[in-house]
Amino acid sequence: MISRNRRLIVLLAAASLFLAGCATLIKGSSEVVNFTSSPAKAEVYVDGIFKGNTPMQLKLESKKTYTIEFRLSEFESQTVILTNSVQAGYVVLDVIFGLVPVIVDVATGAWYKLDRDHVHLEMVEK
């Protein structure tokens, strides 16, 4: 016979699957993206806001699209658009588990994946 505490733990674990989205549980709603340049030490601006110099890592929300600008004196500024896409596998899993996981993953943006996890630019001299 299963103890009362053990049944409660199993019940809570099962409930968490139905009350949270699959993507939210498995991957979360943000991702780490690496930024590098050649030469190094380029300034990195995300949506116009200075974030640091290459090489660097940033944790970015998966549901957003970003404009990344690299700047370095004596070199041309360069811009990259970091986009995202919906991961169909998480959509299917959420639909199987019901309406609540769908709502959670849509609200958190966990369904999305950024199109790259590493952005590297070869800087071009002016």
Side-chain angles (χ1 to χ4, degrees):
M1 183 170 212
I2 300 175
S3 72
R4 181 180 169 106
N5 288 341
R6 191 172 194 161
R7 277 193 303 227
L8 180 60
I9 290 169
V10 170
L11 179 64
L12 288 174
S16 71
L17 286 175
F18 292 103
L19 296 177
C22 292
T24 302
L25 287 173
I26 296 169
K27 74 171 251 327
S29 59
S30 61
E31 300 170 53
V32 173
V33 180
N34 294 297
F35 297 93
T36 58
S37 65
S38 182
K41 304 294 183 201
E43 296 175 337
V44 177
Y45 292 81
V46 178
D47 294 334
I49 300 170
F50 176 71
K51 295 295 183 174
N53 296 81
T54 60
M56 65 179 295
Q57 289 184 334
L58 290 174
K59 192 170 189 175
L60 301 173
E61 290 183 51
S62 303
K63 68 181 176 180
K64 294 183 177 181
T65 297
Y66 299 93
T67 301
I68 313 296
E69 185 178 3
F70 288 70
R71 299 180 193 167
L72 187 60
S73 63
E74 299 180 25
F75 291 86
E76 297 285 334
S77 293
Q78 295 186 51
T79 302
V80 173
I81 305 297
L82 189 58
T83 60
N84 60 27
S85 59
V86 173
Q87 301 297 286
Y90 291 125
V91 175
V92 171
L93 286 173
D94 282 348
V95 169
I96 289 170
F97 284 108
L99 182 61
V100 172
V102 171
I103 293 169
V104 169
D105 279 348
V106 168
T108 63
W111 268 356
Y112 294 95
K113 177 162 180 42
L114 293 171
D115 65 352
R116 349 179 176 182
D117 61 3
H118 188 161
V119 178
H120 176 80
L121 283 180
E122 296 288 329
M123 303 301 289
V124 178
E125 289 189 58
K126 289 183 181 177

